[in-house]
Amino acid sequence: MVVAGAMAILEGIAALAKDDLFAVTRHYVFEFSLTGWGWVHLIVGIALVLSGCAVFTGALWARFLGVAIASLGVIANFLWLPYYPWWAIILIAINLFVVWALCAGMQREADASMTV
């Protein structure tokens, strides 16, 4: 989660800097300014890093928060696909892996507590 958050923060900073790296799409349904997308990714990235650090504590609420924030990261990057497709696909995959890992960890802990 911390790595996905750091990547999202870099994505947000690059969008805020109005880099020529991003493609300009026309007539896109979810069209925001590049600055708006930069803020979205920066906020989601900071939330991912903070919730990733909270997951290290082992608290159950941190796992639920991590699943919610990583899911928001998947949605934000799906909407970001026309601007920078490869980076968005990589972040979607990482965030989906984070959601899976957090949910699988919850299931293993529930199974272990039932056998005791």
Side-chain angles (χ1 to χ4, degrees):
M1 275 181 77
V2 175
V3 171
M7 290 174 69
I9 288 171
L10 293 175
E11 182 177 40
I13 290 171
L16 286 173
K18 296 185 181 186
D19 197 0
D20 293 333
L21 183 67
F22 302 110
V24 177
T25 58
R26 294 180 8 187
H27 307 296
Y28 179 50
V29 176
F30 303 106
E31 185 176 345
F32 289 141
S33 69
L34 199 57
T35 304
W37 277 117
W39 282 110
V40 167
H41 287 291
L42 189 64
I43 291 168
V44 169
I46 291 170
L48 272 169
V49 169
L50 292 176
S51 60
C53 292
V55 167
F56 287 132
T57 66
L60 184 62
W61 64 267
R63 286 184 185 231
F64 285 120
L65 181 66
V67 169
I69 300 295
S71 299
L72 286 176
V74 169
I75 293 168
N77 281 297
F78 178 75
L79 297 175
W80 179 253
L81 272 170
Y83 296 97
Y84 201 9
W86 288 109
W87 190 268
I89 290 170
I90 290 169
L91 281 176
I92 288 170
I94 290 172
N95 285 322
L96 285 174
F97 177 73
V98 165
V99 169
W100 171 81
L102 290 174
C103 291
M106 284 186 241
Q107 181 63 34
R108 271 189 254 124
E109 286 180 7
D111 290 341
S113 68
M114 293 183 80
T115 58
V116 173

